[in-house]
Amino acid sequence: MLKLISKKTFKGGVHPKEFKELTEHKVLEKFPEPDELVIPLSQHSGKDAIPLVKKNDKVKVGTLIAKEDGFISAPIHSPICGTVTSITKTFTFAGIQKSSIILKKDGLDEKDFLPPLDFETVSSEEIISRVKEAGIVGLGGAAFPTYVKLIPPPDKKIDMIILNACECEPYLTRDYRLVVERTEDLIKGLKLIMRASKVQRGIIGIEDNKQEAIELLKEHLVNHSEIELVVLKTKYPQGAEKMLIKAATGREVPPGKLPLDVGVIVQNVGTAISIFDAVVNGIPSIYAYLTVSGLGINEPKNLIVPIGTSIEDVIEYCGGMKENVRRIVIGGPMMGYAQFDLSTPITKAVSGILFLTDEELEVFPETNCLRCGMCVSVCPLNLTPVRLVRLIQNKRFEEAAILNVALCMECGTCAYSCPASIPLVQWLRLGKKWVFQNRFN
Ligand code: SF4
Ligand code: SF4
């Protein structure tokens, strides 16, 4: 097979060691139902869902257990057959206490799915309504309710859907596995998104380190002339929406604007598969697709896990963790969240759990800024991280706001390349928090 190398990319970015070889050939495994699940009512951007069940209620696989609260919110369904034992506060992976529904399994396998719809004839309105009803959220990280993205404001003319298959974070391979294992379903998922949004053109953007997936997509796209495969250079953060749009189409999303301002909607691979399953198979969003990896876990895997499963249960299924684990991260190593509690439940948009050792973390003590300018040259959004951080450290938040700290997407590229190991993203987050709290623009 001739390796396809691409030069299409964006300005800035970095090339962290990939570690994808740990799991890229590991087929997605269905995780066995745990005895108990903790289902947070906050699994998405926007308002928490409202519980529809109470203690001792019986539920089936797929039963609606919490409804959405307003426009930006999403319903939640039970991933198992069992009983509600309580509704109580637990920690989410972001370290925030939220109400959760606790379910205990009863060992039965009764299903309460939605009625399947016909792929050939389902209408735009039916797809949007199904995506909303199934509680589908963006699986690329932000967990934004997907149905909202499918109905852009009337003054925005959308002419293109981009399916984001970049998966640029090191270690993560769950999107890659979905492309390889479910190629046809993925293309159908993209076509459902195009039909829902009444858009004629689709693009699949993928990095050139995923050759097997590229070959499969090429084969399957032969009869789908409305979808173009665009191969992009492997570089972090190639999968960030603005970087992806620029590299794949040449369109530039202006600062402070959204993809729909340049006529584009971006959806993640996992989201497209979830849409396919919800529409064609009637399955609501009850599973998380994730990569379990890092040198600190005994058996790295790709898994399909019922939402609400604890990190602890996943560790046990993956053969236990090694003694030299320094940090456990939910998500990728660049943008993920470090964990302090192994009972933390997995939610819909969790893409990975990483068990990182000293060998991988390469932690050096923080020193004074060397004024090397690396952080500035790698920032894909042309921000000046060193300057912003100095202003924030000195509580000069208004000036940081004028220099656009609010635009920072917290990709971690600057911190990764800083030779002084300054925790730039933590400072930038603090600056952004101040800006949003004070509504200073
Ligand atoms: S974290 Fe923010 S400042 Fe740093 S590289 Fe990413 S966008 Fe730029
Ligand atoms: S990369 Fe680090 S050391 Fe270099 S200028 Fe930026 S903050 Fe200073």
Side-chain angles (χ1 to χ4, degrees), residues 140-414:
F144 192 77
T146 300
Y147 88 95
V148 180
K149 255 177 137 178
L150 297 179
I151 36 173
D155 60 319
K156 307 289 179 194
K157 177 85 191 87
I158 305 298
D159 64 0
M160 191 190 297
I161 306 289
I162 301 183
L163 189 71
N164 186 354
C166 288
E167 201 169 44
C168 60
E169 277 265 15
Y171 295 91
L172 304 186
T173 57
R174 65 133 204 214
D175 284 355
Y176 172 73
R177 291 311 312 172
L178 284 169
V179 176
V180 170
E181 293 175 38
R182 299 190 62 186
T183 321
E184 198 58 38
D185 295 348
L186 178 69
I187 291 168
K188 284 185 172 163
L190 172 56
K191 292 183 91 156
L192 288 169
I193 296 167
M194 290 163 66
R195 200 182 307 164
S197 306
K198 302 191 169 85
V199 171
Q200 309 302 325
R201 190 174 164 213
I203 285 181
I204 301 179
I206 188 163
E207 287 184 334
D208 61 7
N209 61 349
K210 301 175 181 67
Q211 294 291 322
E212 190 187 341
I214 291 168
E215 287 305 314
L216 277 167
L217 284 167
K218 270 197 216 159
E219 277 169 34
H220 284 258
L221 286 175
V222 166
N223 298 319
H224 302 281
S225 56
E226 68 281 35
I227 299 175
E228 184 190 349
L229 180 66
V230 180
V231 180
L232 306 164
K233 186 172 173 167
T234 300
K235 185 165 70 165
Y236 182 85
Q238 185 64 80
E241 284 191 342
K242 289 183 179 181
M243 281 62 250
L244 173 60
I245 294 169
K246 172 73 179 158
T249 70
R251 297 182 193 182
E252 195 136 2
V253 182
K257 298 285 182 190
L258 296 168
L260 50 83
D261 290 303
V262 295
V264 178
I265 294 174
V266 180
Q267 297 284 4
N268 167 269
V269 162
T271 315
I273 288 286
S274 300
I275 290 174
F276 174 84
D277 279 338
V279 172
V280 177
N281 299 319
I283 305 173
S285 180
I286 52 176
Y287 303 112
Y289 298 95
L290 54 95
T291 299
V292 182
S293 192
L295 298 180
I297 189 82
N298 283 321
E299 296 168 25
K301 289 178 188 288
N302 284 301
L303 298 174
I304 305 168
V305 177
I307 56 167
T309 302
S310 69
I311 297 176
E312 212 162 17
D313 283 345
V314 172
I315 293 172
E316 196 186 327
Y317 185 74
C318 294
M321 65 176 172
K322 296 178 185 159
E323 278 179 9
N324 60 346
V325 171
R326 166 69 78 96
R327 192 179 296 162
I328 299 174
V329 173
I330 282 216
M334 303 293 278
M335 292 189 75
Y337 288 79
Q339 299 301 301
F340 63 90
D341 180 359
L342 296 183
S343 66
T344 301
I346 286 152
T347 44
K348 293 177 185 179
V350 168
S351 54
I353 310 177
L354 306 181
F355 297 85
L356 304 176
T357 60
D358 283 339
E359 189 183 333
E360 298 151 280
L361 289 166
E362 290 181 1
V363 186
F364 299 105
E366 184 180 340
T367 62
N368 289 334
C369 174
L370 309 172
R371 297 171 169 261
C372 64
M374 275 302 288
C375 55
V376 180
S377 61
V378 297
C379 176
L381 296 181
N382 293 321
L383 299 175
T384 50
V386 55
R387 181 110 197 266
L388 291 167
V389 167
R390 203 165 298 151
L391 291 169
I392 295 159
Q393 286 171 333
N394 289 297
K395 299 195 170 50
R396 291 162 63 184
F397 295 111
E398 290 89 345
E399 289 161 80
I402 290 164
L403 289 178
N404 285 327
V405 69
L407 297 182
C408 168
M409 58 181 167
E410 301 173 25
C411 64
T413 306
C414 53

Side-chain angles (χ1 to χ4, degrees), residues 108-119:
L108 300 176
D109 186 29
E110 293 172 353
K111 298 201 167 58
D112 194 5
F113 288 168
L114 301 158
L117 302 168
D118 181 43
F119 172 77

